[in-house]
Amino acid sequence: MLIILAAGSVFFPGLFLLSKQCLKSIPALRWSEGDAVIVSARLVSSIQAVMASSAGYIIASSCKDIIEDQHWLTSTYIMFAVPYFVYDIYAMFMCYWYKLRVKGHEEAAAAPQHMRSALASYLRREFLMVLHHVVMVTVCFPVSVFYRQGKGDYFQGIMFMAELSTPSVCLGKILIQYKQQHTLLHKVNGALMLITFFIFRVLLFPYLYYAYGRYASIPFHMVPLSVPWYCNLGAALLMAPQLYWFSLICRGALRLFRGTSRSQRPPPSGDKELQTHGNTLPQPANGYNTRSSEPELASH
């Protein structure tokens, strides 16, 4: 167990550092430190998502009995991935730190000049995402590895597949970073993000209840009354932020396509003034922003 945890602790930060160094040193790129940090964080999140989704598919497809069947990959990948959530809190903070210093943002001049004040600002702004990561490490990890006692690997595998929405989220962030919101790729990716997030994060928990109801031969609406209360509580706590983030995706997508239909109209004078003075608010580190004109979203 300790070896697997150590492997994850080396793999994810190591991949981040390697990616950042490559982006900065490859002659054809020569990216700045800030750009390299932000893109490297997206890359690591996408790779983790592909690994988790692949593990989830292997686990779920191998379990015929959704309660009793076990797969060695379940606990192994959980232990390997736990360090990722600790690392990602740091990576999101570094993205936030560099975004505050992007020239042209209205907050750039007022950006915290010291790490301590920047960290306090980051925790206030990204409280929900940081809390999500902390809960994954302090609650979901021990419950999934120790409390389950080897039961329900199928459900754990399905939950791994929630990460299928992450690559499109990360690509959307990169496109926004390089001001490619007007491109067809951004719009197609936005639609893909909307669909995958809805299927693999919003419908995930209703599907788990449906799967258990079919297994236990009970109606779907009776499942919440048939499972332990802590299962319902855990599902509600995990689903609540997904619904909130999905609502932000929908609002961003609506603004995106409304903006497309109005793209030929001249902007109001107020908008011109904002563009002239560069008063554009920086995106939060996790990408969720109700004021953003584009749906830029978190990794998890």
Side-chain angles (χ1 to χ4, degrees), residues 181-224:
Q181 296 95 318
H182 62 283
T183 63
L184 177 62
L185 175 60
H186 180 72
K187 294 175 175 59
V188 171
N189 183 72
L192 180 62
M193 177 173 56
L194 185 70
I195 294 170
T196 55
F197 200 98
F198 178 69
I199 293 175
F200 293 104
R201 289 186 180 264
V202 176
L203 293 185
L204 173 69
F205 295 99
Y207 172 77
L208 295 179
Y209 277 72
Y210 164 78
Y212 181 79
R214 187 176 59 178
Y215 172 82
S217 299
I218 57 178
F220 175 78
H221 67 275
M222 293 297 296
V223 174

Side-chain angles (χ1 to χ4, degrees), residues 136-167:
M136 292 297 291
V137 175
T138 60
V139 178
C140 295
F141 166 61
V143 168
S144 299
V145 174
F146 303 109
Y147 188 78
R148 289 189 308 115
Q149 298 180 340
K151 295 185 181 296
D153 280 19
Y154 173 83
F155 295 102
Q156 191 66 59
I158 294 296
M159 293 185 71
F160 284 164
M161 294 179 68
E163 293 292 338
L164 276 170
S165 63
T166 300

Side-chain angles (χ1 to χ4, degrees), residues 7-298:
S9 300
V10 172
F11 178 79
F12 294 110
L15 182 61
F16 172 76
L17 294 174
L18 177 62
S19 173
K20 183 181 73 169
Q21 189 60 35
C22 289
L23 292 174
K24 290 171 57 180
S25 60
I26 293 177
L29 297 177
R30 297 288 185 181
W31 284 5
S32 67
E33 178 78 12
D35 284 342
V37 164
I38 293 171
V39 173
S40 295
R42 312 304 188 220
L43 176 63
V44 174
S45 294
S46 297
I47 291 175
Q48 193 282 142
V50 171
M51 294 172 64
S53 301
S54 300
Y57 176 78
I58 293 171
I59 294 165
S61 61
S62 68
C63 293
K64 306 305 179 184
D65 187 309
I66 65 174
I67 300 297
E68 299 296 336
D69 284 357
Q70 298 181 17
H71 195 286
W72 65 269
L73 192 55
T74 308
S75 295
T76 300
Y77 191 78
I78 291 172
M79 290 185 289
F80 180 75
V82 161
Y84 165 80
F85 291 97
V86 179
Y87 141 82
D88 199 45
I89 294 176
Y90 164 79
M92 288 192 302
F93 170 68
M94 294 307 297
C95 291
Y96 179 78
W97 172 262
Y98 283 107
K99 280 185 176 183
L100 283 178
R101 279 149 181 77
V102 174
K103 185 177 181 180
H105 284 324
E106 69 174 6
E107 292 184 6
Q113 300 301 314
H114 302 287
M115 281 289 183
R116 182 178 298 179
S117 56
L119 179 61
S121 175
Y122 161 72
L123 291 175
R124 287 194 300 270
R125 190 177 182 97
E126 312 297 344
F127 175 77
L128 183 59
M129 182 57 65
V130 172
L131 178 63
H132 171 267
H133 281 42
V134 170
V135 169
M136 292 297 291
V137 175
T138 60
V139 178
C140 295
F141 166 61
V143 168
S144 299
V145 174
F146 303 109
Y147 188 78
R148 289 189 308 115
Q149 298 180 340
K151 295 185 181 296
D153 280 19
Y154 173 83
F155 295 102
Q156 191 66 59
I158 294 296
M159 293 185 71
F160 284 164
M161 294 179 68
E163 293 292 338
L164 276 170
S165 63
T166 300
S168 60
V169 169
C170 293
L171 177 57
K173 290 180 179 182
I174 293 174
L175 292 173
I176 290 174
Q177 178 184 347
Y178 289 97
K179 297 179 171 52
Q180 297 299 307
Q181 296 95 318
H182 62 283
T183 63
L184 177 62
L185 175 60
H186 180 72
K187 294 175 175 59
V188 171
N189 183 72
L192 180 62
M193 177 173 56
L194 185 70
I195 294 170
T196 55
F197 200 98
F198 178 69
I199 293 175
F200 293 104
R201 289 186 180 264
V202 176
L203 293 185
L204 173 69
F205 295 99
Y207 172 77
L208 295 179
Y209 277 72
Y210 164 78
Y212 181 79
R214 187 176 59 178
Y215 172 82
S217 299
I218 57 178
F220 175 78
H221 67 275
M222 293 297 296
V223 174
L225 302 177
S226 305
V227 299
W229 65 270
Y230 49 81
C231 293
N232 292 320
L233 177 62
L237 292 176
L238 289 173
M239 188 173 182
Q242 310 304 328
L243 291 174
Y244 170 69
W245 288 324
F246 182 68
S247 71
L248 297 187
I249 296 176
C250 292
R251 291 166 63 181
L254 184 61
R255 282 192 293 269
L256 170 64
F257 289 104
R258 279 182 175 175
T260 301
S261 64
R262 295 196 301 262
S263 61
Q264 302 302 321
R265 302 178 186 177
S269 58
D271 290 347
K272 290 181 180 177
E273 182 180 355
L274 288 178
Q275 293 169 5
T276 301
H277 295 286
N279 290 337
T280 304
L281 293 176
Q283 298 293 331
N286 64 15
Y288 291 94
N289 189 347
T290 57
R291 293 173 295 182
S292 173
S293 61
E294 306 292 344
E296 185 189 0
L297 311 161

